[in-house]
Amino acid sequence: MTEARHRKWHVFQTKDELSVAMAKYTAHLSAKFCKEKGLFTVVLSGGGLIDWLCKLLEPPYKDSIEWSKWHVFWVDERVCAYEDPDSNYKLAMDGFLSKVGIPNEHIYAIDKHYAADGNAEHCAALYEECLRNLVKQDIIPLCPNGKYPQFDLQLLGMGPDGHMASLFPGHPQINVKDKWVTYITDSPKLPPRRITFTLPVINSASYNLMAVCDDHTEQCPRSIADIFKHNNLALPAAHLTAHVETMWYLDKAAASLL
Ligand SMILES: O=C(O)[C@H](O)[C@@H](O)[C@H](O)[C@H](O)COP(=O)(O)O
């Protein structure tokens, strides 16, 4: 493992090794937080992540994780119907969540009706309201400055252009600080309408695990080098921190220019 400034990282020879490590990391934190607080708040993203998480569906994890104590959120979501193949909710439900015993009422998706209508602004406002209610119910604590919710673990991915969640380079959402959840209607990655946690919320998590596997683009290893060697803050993912630990899991291809 390598460490620079606040960032730690591991490079894995294969995606499979990365998935095994991701399962271990997640299972360890699940056990820790379930023991300490009686629940575990996990934030998912879209993309390849759900595939990599599938190691949790295998022994020894599937039967040892206290799934009933999990509370699941999305760091970003595409504003479309739940049944739409673009939906991050559908991706996670079909590939992972439906296969473990997380109570339905612990799975916090965006509003079904506004999502189907494509109303990103309302979806963002209602998702923020949902988080605020969970803070009142003591499911999510606030971070020490009292301004933002503090999730236990966020599992993130980075796009080849250096975006994370739905915070894209050259778009204003990265600067939003007065909201917990914001929205975009012209996302360069399709589909265009999305909601996303704001940067201060993302960085308030106790643990952030960013997993990046390069799928034959030249841009991805360049963005990784730009972040790790030059801390190029034009790339949203370069801003990632966390309260306890910011961990990057890279495959060999993504790390090829380091
Ligand atoms: O909904 C989304 O599009 C995502 O949440 C997005 O931020 C994703 O995590 C990255 O684009 C990485 O995606 P890949 O893992 O597919 O490269």
Side-chain angles (χ1 to χ4, degrees):
M1 186 182 74
T2 320
E3 191 165 353
R5 294 194 193 96
H6 50 270
R7 230 173 254 138
K8 297 180 184 175
W9 72 91
H10 277 287
V11 178
F12 298 92
Q13 292 305 307
T14 62
K15 273 186 202 178
D16 201 62
E17 285 175 25
L18 184 147
S19 321
V20 170
M22 184 181 252
K24 251 190 212 158
Y25 193 89
T26 305
H28 166 74
L29 289 179
S30 170
K32 167 184 153 61
F33 283 106
C34 288
K35 188 166 169 214
E36 284 171 14
K37 314 192 302 183
L39 58 87
F40 182 44
T41 56
V42 190
V43 184
L44 305 176
S45 49
L49 174 84
I50 300 300
D51 251 6
W52 308 332
L53 264 187
C54 281
K55 290 277 180 246
L56 287 173
L57 302 175
E58 295 173 15
Y61 307 114
K62 187 151 190 220
D63 297 326
S64 60
I65 287 179
E66 294 180 89
W67 298 108
S68 64
K69 296 185 176 167
W70 278 40
H71 289 254
V72 179
F73 303 84
W74 277 266
V75 71
D76 72 334
E77 177 57 288
R78 294 97 179 266
V79 178
C80 56
Y82 283 5
E83 308 75 39
D84 192 308
D86 275 334
S87 159
N88 284 342
Y89 167 78
K90 177 178 168 56
L91 181 76
M93 269 319 247
D94 292 354
F96 177 60
L97 298 174
S98 62
K99 302 177 181 173
V100 292
I102 303 174
N104 263 335
E105 63 277 18
H106 291 184
I107 297 177
Y108 306 94
I110 59 172
D111 182 82
K112 190 173 184 175
H113 300 290
Y114 284 122
D117 280 354
N119 192 328
E121 186 175 1
H122 277 72
C123 284
L126 286 179
Y127 208 59
E128 177 161 336
E129 198 179 304
C130 160
L131 302 185
R132 288 189 184 275
N133 283 332
L134 292 167
V135 168
K136 281 188 201 137
Q137 293 166 38
D138 287 332
I139 307 255
I140 313 172
L142 287 176
C143 68
N145 72 15
K147 287 193 189 163
Y148 304 108
Q150 181 159 51
F151 295 94
D152 298 329
L153 170 64
Q154 260 168 171
L155 297 164
L156 300 154
M158 186 196 83
D161 60 353
H163 78 258
M164 66 172 175
S166 286
L167 302 175
F168 292 90
H171 286 256
Q173 286 76 14
I174 184 86
N175 302 316
V176 176
K177 295 190 177 63
D178 60 343
K179 291 203 161 58
W180 291 2
V181 184
T182 189
Y183 65 100
I184 179 168
T185 53
D186 59 350
S187 161
K189 180 180 180 183
L190 296 176
R193 282 191 288 265
R194 292 150 172 263
I195 67 159
T196 179
F197 284 4
T198 56
L199 185 65
V201 171
I202 293 174
N203 285 346
S204 293
S206 296
Y207 292 80
N208 271 322
L209 174 58
M210 167 70 89
V212 189
C213 291
D214 176 35
D215 278 324
H216 323 291
T217 64
E218 283 175 20
Q219 205 187 5
C220 175
R222 271 208 308 268
S223 291
I224 291 290
D226 234 14
I227 292 171
F228 282 69
K229 290 184 173 168
H230 312 297
N231 202 35
N232 180 356
L233 294 175
L235 304 186
H239 293 261
L240 184 65
T241 62
H243 268 251
V244 180
E245 182 166 86
T246 314
M247 180 64 84
W248 288 65
Y249 281 180
L250 309 171
D251 76 346
K252 210 169 62 177
S256 58
L257 296 181
L258 292 183

